[in-house]
Amino acid sequence: MKHLWAVAGLLAFVGTAFWFNAVRHTGGSAHGTQKEATAGARNVGGQKESLERLRSIAYLERYIEEVINKGSSQNLGFAYGDMPAGMADAEAAPKIAAYVVSLAGLEPSHPEWVKEGRLFYISNCGGCHGEDGKGVHGTFPDLTRVPLLGIAKRIEAAQRAERRMEMGR
Ligand code: HEC
């Protein structure tokens, strides 16, 4: 009898794990298709979907990579001004992004990149953003805040668009 309960428990656990995974994969994708994007612009349901995407870890990783490769001139309100492009190699960027995600206490899509990413981070980013990623108040942004400032701006813009859409109906 005890045996049976153990088997039932295991099955329930495996089932839940599969379900979680499925939800993560459908909700967490940062690579929306063109079709999804246009649908998103047309209906409020689509807007909600795009809000979810903006909050996903995959999006956070892509955003960090983009900032590394292209720099950041978003007027985020720091005394230093803009972050120049190419502070690290494009090849190292996804690994650094995995490490920065882990600094924020989140689970990166590729946990196996964190260790290497940390080394790149310390030599390429730590000088400004601090080894702990917490930045320097007023001068360099805290990379452990959730959502990051640039993403928060995009979320606010998407919410404004959603409200306009709701009013227009
Ligand atoms: C020379 C100093 C400097 C270095 C080195 C540097 N950054 Fe930055 N970073 C900044 C500044 C300043 C900003 C704010 C720019 C703005 O207002 O758009 C910033 C912004 C960012 C943002 C956006 C923050 C947000 O809240 O949206 C991310 C992500 C980021 N940096 C990651 C990195 C990573 C990863 C590295 C290493 C590859 C790095 N930075 C190296 C100065 C630096």
Side-chain angles (χ1 to χ4, degrees):
M1 193 59 194
K2 242 187 187 162
H3 211 78
L4 267 178
W5 278 115
V7 171
L10 190 68
L11 280 176
F13 175 76
V14 170
T16 318
F18 265 101
W19 179 77
F20 256 100
N21 230 355
V23 169
R24 245 180 48 176
H25 281 282
T26 42
S29 163
H31 306 284
T33 60
Q34 188 60 39
K35 215 166 127 200
E36 264 179 81
T38 29
R42 242 185 277 119
N43 66 62
V44 175
Q47 286 290 343
K48 292 233 163 74
E49 216 177 86
S50 83
L51 271 172
E52 246 174 67
R53 192 156 42 232
L54 287 170
R55 292 192 177 107
S56 70
I57 291 195
Y59 191 87
L60 171 60
E61 290 167 336
R62 213 181 54 174
Y63 172 73
I64 297 168
E65 273 184 58
E66 199 179 283
V67 168
I68 296 172
N69 293 326
K70 301 186 184 156
S72 177
S73 313
Q74 304 181 84
N75 293 319
L76 298 177
F78 294 88
Y80 188 86
D82 294 347
M83 172 176 149
M87 283 285 115
D89 237 59
E91 249 176 75
K95 292 170 180 166
I96 297 173
Y99 179 63
V100 172
V101 166
S102 79
L103 277 179
L106 302 167
E107 170 86 359
S109 311
H110 291 275
E112 71 277 15
W113 290 347
V114 167
K115 217 169 138 191
E116 205 184 335
R118 177 175 171 273
L119 299 177
F120 286 125
Y121 176 88
I122 291 173
S123 48
N124 297 291
C125 325
C128 289
H129 293 285
E131 288 212 1
D132 58 1
K134 294 207 180 292
V136 176
H137 187 76
T139 308
F140 298 114
D142 176 359
L143 300 184
T144 67
R145 85 193 294 281
V146 183
L148 284 175
L149 296 169
I151 295 179
K153 276 189 170 183
R154 296 174 191 191
I155 289 174
E156 280 158 28
Q159 281 168 336
R160 273 196 302 275
E162 188 182 325
R163 275 196 297 275
R164 268 200 305 276
M165 207 76 75
E166 269 164 357
M167 284 187 326
R169 284 202 306 178

